[in-house]
Amino acid sequence: MTSNNPNTLLYINAEIGSVFRSQVAELLLYYEKNNLITEIYLLCGIKNKDQEIKVREIFKDSNIQLCFFKNYPNYFFFNIMQSNEISRKIRLLSLPKRRTIVHVRGELLAYHSAKGIKKYLGSLNTTLVDVRGAGWEETVEFQGGHSLKNKVKFINYRNTFKSLPLFGAISTVSESLKKYLLDKAPGIKKPIHIVHCLVSPNIHYSPSERKLIRDKFKLSDNDKMLIFSSGGTAAWQLTGELSSLISEKWTILNLSPNKIELKGVINDFVSYEKIGSYLSAADAALIFRSKSIVNKVACPVKFCEYLCAGLPVISDRNVDLINDYLRKTGFGIALDKSGDLIALPASSVFAGNRKEIQNAGRRSFGIEKISRDYIDIYNALT
């Protein structure tokens, strides 16, 4: 570890979602493995004991110190309980004030954590707020609920946007999300860093793993396979689009919890550790998102993983980051609508040098790059 790096990192995470393993755990384990930070604490919000067990299992072979807090619903009348819960846990950690960095995943969580951080670490100046998406729009567009409930939830988001300028640093996962945040929180005067979603070395192209999986599905070298991968069942994933893409020109591997029971589609769902092997088995990848602010400003984890596995990507035009990347690199095709894929010749769908795509993907989204970006922000805060 270089002398410039922080001695202590407190990483605060609110939930155990579908990307916890790939985006939170992988980053912290990488820090530890490469001696980038001396002491790492994970303060993690959970809803039940099963989630705590899951987290402990992931970190069982590490020296990362774990602490858990109860997650309360996002309504302002729970704010005091949520804030006090997090404050109490921070106090119990007895963190050293000197050269301790706080990395908070999510702006709403940062709002709830501010009291404890300031009280027990002295200020918010060494705290990075890591904004991952358009949280308020996600609540309105995809989580449904009565409009009155949404109005109540908006109180917290409004206060959150007002509080952001108080923190030492802010990052977003895309340029479009940065613009969105500046519109929502015009009081932010300091630069906003852009740090994309990360991809671990487990996601790569392996010819031997490719053969193993293709043999499992009884696919020859000449058979072409499109892959659709999703770790969750969120409404914006658009798994249903696969039904309109069935063709004799390819097989579709649906690697998601939502099954498509049609001829020409293989359904499977595997653990995070096996994703790399299945991506290796494919020849191109699919990602479709609906038109919304949530998707416009996103940096989809699966898109980053596809590239780091060397796959050309077939997408619609509803995610700015994907659209811009494909236009600049040519590593895939952006369609006006998903159904347009059927009319394209297979030669264009599966075009691209796999090694070139993989190397470029790692330069933009590999954990080596993303961890350096975060460490640079930490160092600037100290």
Side-chain angles (χ1 to χ4, degrees):
M1 187 189 80
T2 65
S3 59
N4 289 329
N5 290 345
N7 293 328
T8 305
L9 173 69
L10 170 62
Y11 192 107
I12 308 180
N13 177 72
E15 61 181 5
I16 314 302
S18 62
V19 299
F20 174 82
R21 179 59 197 271
S22 67
Q23 300 302 300
V24 177
E26 287 293 336
L27 178 66
L28 300 184
L29 291 169
Y30 184 85
Y31 285 159
E32 181 186 49
K33 179 181 178 181
N34 292 278
N35 299 313
L36 296 174
I37 299 170
T38 306
E39 288 188 296
I40 302 172
Y41 296 79
L42 171 60
L43 179 55
C44 198
I46 55 172
K47 295 180 179 178
N48 52 55
K49 190 66 177 180
D50 288 343
Q51 290 189 342
E52 179 179 337
I53 293 171
K54 178 180 178 180
V55 175
R56 290 193 181 279
E57 177 65 21
I58 292 172
F59 290 99
K60 65 180 181 180
D61 296 324
S62 79
N63 291 317
I64 294 171
Q65 300 184 56
L66 306 177
C67 186
F68 300 91
F69 66 89
K70 180 181 177 180
N71 246 340
Y72 287 89
N74 176 30
Y75 297 106
F76 70 88
F77 36 81
F78 287 110
N79 284 357
I80 293 177
M81 287 184 285
Q82 185 69 84
S83 179
N84 287 342
E85 169 79 352
I86 296 173
S87 294
R88 184 170 64 87
K89 297 297 184 174
I90 294 176
R91 177 178 62 83
L92 291 174
L93 292 175
S94 299
L95 296 163
K97 292 183 179 181
R98 186 173 181 272
R99 294 187 65 76
T100 294
I101 294 297
V102 184
H103 183 152
V104 188
R105 184 180 171 87
E107 68 277 22
L108 195 61
L109 180 60
Y111 171 63
H112 291 309
S113 303
K115 174 184 173 182
I117 295 170
K118 191 171 183 179
K119 184 174 182 179
Y120 296 109
L121 291 176
S123 78
L124 301 177
N125 293 336
T126 58
T127 297
L128 165 65
V129 182
D130 189 1
V131 182
R132 311 300 301 182
W136 167 240
E137 279 73 13
E138 181 180 332
T139 298
V140 174
E141 296 176 14
F142 295 106
Q143 294 184 13
H146 193 276
S147 59
L148 179 59
K149 288 184 178 180
N150 287 340
K151 288 179 180 179
V152 173
K153 288 183 176 182
F154 182 69
I155 295 173
N156 274 354
Y157 279 102
R158 182 184 61 200
N159 292 335
T160 293
F161 292 136
K162 289 180 180 179
S163 73
L164 282 175
L166 303 176
F167 293 89
I170 301 167
S171 66
T172 64
V173 296
S174 72
E175 181 68 37
S176 292
L177 183 56
K178 174 181 175 178
K179 294 175 182 176
Y180 161 90
L181 198 60
L182 287 171
D183 178 64
K184 292 291 184 180
I188 299 174
K189 303 303 179 185
K190 64 195 68 176
I192 295 178
H193 307 271
I194 297 176
V195 186
H196 300 308
C197 293
L198 66 87
V199 180
S200 83
N202 295 330
I203 307 297
H204 60 279
Y205 173 61
S206 168
S208 60
E209 293 171 17
R210 173 183 173 85
K211 185 178 186 309
L212 187 68
I213 301 302
R214 290 177 73 89
D215 285 349
K216 172 184 175 179
F217 295 136
K218 296 180 172 56
L219 296 174
S220 72
D221 290 339
N222 295 325
D223 293 326
K224 295 299 183 183
M225 184 165 70
L226 294 168
I227 191 168
F228 175 89
S229 178
S230 171
T233 58
W236 58 78
Q237 302 288 0
L238 296 186
T239 311
E241 294 290 311
L242 302 185
S243 301
S244 64
L245 303 180
I246 296 172
S247 170
E248 294 181 353
K249 293 183 284 188
W250 49 67
T251 296
I252 297 175
L253 174 56
N254 174 30
L255 212 62
S256 82
N258 295 323
K259 292 186 177 182
I260 304 294
E261 301 291 357
L262 293 171
K263 184 179 179 181
V265 179
I266 299 172
N267 294 288
D268 207 343
F269 190 62
V270 298
S271 65
Y272 169 74
E273 290 77 13
K274 296 180 180 179
I275 292 294
S277 298
Y278 282 73
L279 293 180
S280 292
D283 300 291
L286 301 168
I287 182 166
F288 299 116
R289 294 293 182 92
S290 59
K291 190 171 184 178
S292 73
I293 294 296
V294 173
N295 291 322
K296 177 181 174 64
V297 304
C299 175
V301 173
K302 292 306 174 185
F303 172 68
C304 305
E305 290 179 346
Y306 291 159
L307 294 170
C308 289
L311 290 169
V313 178
I314 314 302
S315 176
D316 52 35
R317 303 182 189 278
N318 293 327
V319 180
D320 285 354
L321 183 144
I322 295 178
N323 221 15
D324 293 343
Y325 190 90
L326 296 184
R327 185 177 65 252
K328 291 175 182 177
T329 64
F331 295 155
I333 302 170
L335 305 170
D336 290 325
K337 58 181 184 297
S338 59
D340 293 344
L341 180 63
I342 293 293
L344 297 178
S347 58
S348 65
V349 174
F350 302 103
N353 181 290
R354 195 143 195 178
K355 192 68 175 177
E356 182 184 5
I357 296 173
Q358 177 180 249
N359 290 342
R362 295 223 70 86
R363 286 195 297 271
S364 294
F365 309 109
I367 195 169
E368 306 84 356
K369 164 69 163 58
I370 303 306
S371 64
R372 285 197 304 270
D373 290 344
Y374 280 133
I375 291 292
D376 286 345
I377 298 172
Y378 301 163
N379 287 337
L381 289 175
T382 58

